[in-house]
Amino acid sequence: MSEVYFVDSRARVIDPAEWFQPQLSLVSKLRDLIRKSGVLDFIEKEDVVAIKTHFGDRGTTKTLRSVYIRTIVEEIKNRGGRPFVTETTGLGLTRDRCTALGRIEIAEENGYTKQTMKAPIVIADGILGFDFVDVPVDGKNLKVIHVAKAFEWVDKVVCATHFKLHMQGGIGGSIKNIGVGCVAKPSKFDIHSPNPPEINENCTECGKCVEICPVNAIENFRINHSKCLKCMGCREVCEDDAISIGPWLSGADICERIVECAKGVFELVGKENFAFFNFLIDITPHCDCHPYSDNPIAPDVGVFASRDIVSADAACLDVLKRLEANRDALTGEQKFWEWTAPEVQISYAEELGLGERGYEIYDISD
Ligand code: SF4
Ligand code: SF4
């Protein structure tokens, strides 16, 4: 049984006649959660600590607020750690979210800066998302994970996750934050598809893909797969629908691959060097990579903290399932549950030794 600590996001009024009650803020409660749970006490003086979160895209409005990240930063500094806040680039080359410079620009527009978080931003997979370390894993689907290179140099990782639903994976929790968010472009592609991109019969030989390919992998209008880094830049610039990929996975297939990538990150950093915060608030029906945020499907619940990635996500998934059982509690339509397989993330992560499904909740709200 792993320990999962919890604070309720509701402001339980202590004295209704008193308006100034800062202790009711979720920021104060997060600080209490950190201090009472001891979940960050594994951080030692001079440790370099990566805080992995998600900055969203232009138009995403329900990512984690920077004040929560700042609270975690302050607590890491109180323990003598040296924190930075990190993200990786998205698949593709032309959209801003797909390069380090664009990623930082969007982060700043969305309110994540050195000033708001008290820690610098480092994009973990480099300028174009091709800085990675190859880590072997014994997955059913993937044997090598291309982990973002910055994770080679960190002592500890604190995962600050906005827990929500995910269009293909069912849930976007800590496993997804590590498995998708800490790997470079080639592994992001491998999560989504088993087959590399190919040029098909629609090709007009215009040359745009040849021009954009950063590794000169397109020779005589054929992709040389020994060079291709599966970035999808060629597909973005092709106006003739001449780059085929597929199938684009969902459900159990994508969940297994996300877990295998998370295993690669654990292998590189060391499983004992992680802590997890799942914020079960603003529970949107899709991931923060969408350039918009739909209405939440359920009321805010609170924050879960654990040193066990599987238990942290299992606790939140179990809350969502209880809400689903009582559909009156839902504030919106539950959109993706039917064709996704969120439980696979939990069960396969346990099978690969990432953590335990069994957990005990310690509610420190009062
Ligand atoms: S961009 Fe498309 S049409 Fe142009 S050469 Fe490449 S695959 Fe062919
Ligand atoms: S051929 Fe491969 S590396 Fe080159 S742009 Fe296309 S996906 Fe990227």
Side-chain angles (χ1 to χ4, degrees), residues 27-320:
V27 177
S28 303
K29 292 177 183 186
L30 173 61
R31 204 176 294 283
D32 274 356
L33 176 68
I34 293 169
R35 291 180 179 173
K36 290 180 182 168
S37 69
V39 83
L40 292 185
D41 292 350
F42 73 126
I43 291 169
E44 296 172 352
K45 206 163 163 21
E46 298 300 325
D47 272 352
V48 174
V49 185
I51 302 171
K52 173 65 186 71
T53 195
H54 198 311
F55 299 137
D57 202 347
R58 290 204 171 89
T60 322
T61 54
K62 292 190 173 71
T63 51
L64 275 192
R65 287 157 187 76
S66 56
V67 65
Y68 300 133
I69 309 293
R70 184 166 75 239
T71 303
I72 293 171
V73 164
E74 288 168 349
E75 290 295 327
I76 291 170
K77 286 182 177 174
N78 286 344
R79 287 157 179 78
R82 297 164 63 203
F84 67 92
V85 185
T86 194
E87 252 278 34
T88 51
T89 64
L91 267 182
L93 290 173
T94 60
R95 292 174 302 130
D96 278 347
R97 208 168 74 82
C98 303
T99 65
L101 295 181
R103 195 82 205 84
I104 291 172
E105 201 171 296
I106 293 172
E108 289 177 348
E109 288 173 14
N110 286 353
Y112 303 95
T113 67
K114 173 89 190 295
Q115 287 68 35
T116 60
M117 300 187 296
K118 293 193 179 169
I121 295 174
V122 174
I123 300 303
D125 56 347
I127 294 283
L128 290 182
F130 296 132
D131 293 356
F132 54 80
V133 180
D134 285 345
V135 180
V137 294
D138 52 353
K140 280 190 245 178
N141 311 282
L142 305 177
K143 303 298 177 195
V144 177
I145 307 303
H146 311 291
V147 180
K149 189 158 178 70
F151 291 99
E152 192 176 24
W153 306 108
V154 304
D155 297 302
K156 306 282 162 59
V157 176
V158 175
C159 190
T161 301
H162 171 217
F163 197 102
K164 63 277 170 197
L165 301 193
H166 186 276
M167 207 167 127
Q168 284 124 353
I171 49 171
S174 286
I175 295 172
K176 184 257 165 195
N177 198 2
I178 296 294
V180 181
C182 297
V183 299
K185 281 183 167 75
S187 279
K188 282 196 174 81
F189 184 94
D190 291 339
I191 287 170
H192 287 287
S193 181
N195 302 318
E198 296 279 6
I199 293 181
N200 64 38
E201 65 285 355
N202 293 339
C203 180
T204 59
E205 303 191 358
C206 73
K208 286 182 184 151
C209 58
V210 178
E211 205 174 311
I212 197 170
C213 180
V215 289
N216 299 320
I218 300 173
E219 299 159 356
N220 301 320
F221 304 105
R222 292 281 172 276
I223 295 177
N224 179 342
H225 292 123
S226 67
K227 290 186 183 173
C228 174
L229 290 173
K230 296 180 265 191
C231 69
M232 303 271 276
C234 51
R235 186 171 159 99
E236 284 181 324
V237 296
C238 179
E239 293 173 1
D240 297 292
D241 197 19
I243 311 271
S244 303
I245 48 160
W248 209 239
L249 303 172
S250 63
D253 294 328
I254 197 169
C255 287
E256 285 180 358
R257 287 159 179 266
I258 290 171
V259 170
E260 287 163 356
C261 284
K263 167 103 174 167
V265 183
F266 270 35
E267 293 283 332
L268 184 67
V269 181
K271 179 178 156 181
E272 67 285 2
N273 293 321
F274 286 82
F276 305 94
F277 291 90
N278 278 347
F279 290 74
L280 196 54
I281 58 178
D282 294 324
I283 310 165
T284 50
H286 50 249
C287 181
D288 289 337
C289 58
H290 290 229
Y292 62 91
S293 295
D294 201 351
N295 286 347
I297 60 147
D300 288 355
V301 176
V303 188
F304 296 75
S306 182
R307 296 291 308 284
D308 185 316
I309 193 170
V310 180
S311 290
D313 277 9
C316 294
L317 178 58
D318 290 344
V319 171
L320 288 180

